[in-house]
Amino acid sequence: MEILNRKAKFEYHFVQKFEAGMALVGTEVKALRAGEASLGEAWCHFEGDELFLKNMHIGHYRNGPPTQHDHRRTRKLLLKAAELRKLKRKAEEKGMTIVPLRIYFSDNGYAKCEIALAQGKRSYDKRQTIKERDVQRDLARLKKL
């Protein structure tokens, strides 16, 4: 199962991508496997030297106990110390931010979050993206005919 942040590609230019582990509780992992999550309003930020994922929604696990995790709790992202230092230094530059792109399960069964160091697009960049998407859609329609 893979949870995507579809708005991110439209809103940002990606400079560099990273793969981060996530500190989760048991019912969160089961809910993620069931696809009960959303990255639509999520963002990353530093508290001290640690990176956290804020406002990501993970729904309740249906077969779980009545007392489960909080839907939108802050979740810690796990990266190597060198990667964290590099990300923090770059994120403090003007116009740069850290955006969660997708959540997936690795071959080992661990939940991973792909994050990107990103720069916001301007309105004319967004118009260009829309134009390119429309052209690709038209070409795909012509190929089907």
Side-chain angles (χ1 to χ4, degrees):
M1 185 94 244
E2 185 175 75
I3 289 85
L4 299 173
N5 185 353
R6 294 177 187 215
K7 282 196 317 189
K9 190 184 282 187
F10 182 70
E11 297 285 333
Y12 300 98
H13 289 292
F14 303 133
V15 177
Q16 190 173 7
K17 294 181 181 179
F18 295 90
E19 178 184 60
M22 297 175 64
L24 301 172
V25 297
T27 54
E28 288 177 328
V29 175
K30 291 183 178 198
L32 275 177
R33 287 194 186 278
E36 300 288 328
S38 171
L39 279 174
E41 299 172 1
W43 74 91
C44 299
H45 77 102
F46 278 94
E47 288 180 14
D49 290 335
E50 297 178 333
L51 185 63
F52 290 92
L53 182 61
K54 299 277 271 187
N55 209 29
M56 179 182 131
H57 180 269
I58 297 180
H60 284 303
Y61 177 58
R62 294 180 192 261
N63 300 326
T67 56
Q68 292 192 28
H69 62 274
D70 182 26
H71 290 288
R72 294 195 183 270
R73 78 176 182 90
T74 302
R75 294 165 179 95
K76 185 176 179 180
L77 294 178
L78 309 170
L79 288 160
K80 293 183 178 181
E83 290 176 329
L84 282 171
R85 283 191 301 272
K86 182 178 181 179
L87 259 175
K88 187 172 185 178
R89 189 173 53 249
K90 296 272 188 171
E92 289 172 349
E93 293 177 11
K94 186 176 181 191
M96 300 298 275
T97 188
I98 303 169
V99 180
L101 299 178
R102 69 184 180 120
I103 293 182
Y104 61 96
F105 285 92
S106 68
D107 295 336
N108 302 355
Y110 293 109
K112 300 287 185 174
C113 180
E114 184 178 15
I115 59 175
L117 185 64
Q119 189 172 21
K121 285 185 180 178
R122 295 198 169 34
S123 61
Y124 56 83
D125 291 332
K126 292 178 185 179
R127 286 194 296 270
Q128 183 65 30
T129 303
I130 292 170
K131 189 185 300 182
E132 290 171 3
R133 187 175 58 208
D134 289 345
V135 167
Q136 292 299 322
R137 187 180 307 131
D138 291 342
L139 288 174
R141 285 182 187 155
L142 289 175
K143 286 182 181 179
K144 287 183 180 180
L145 297 177

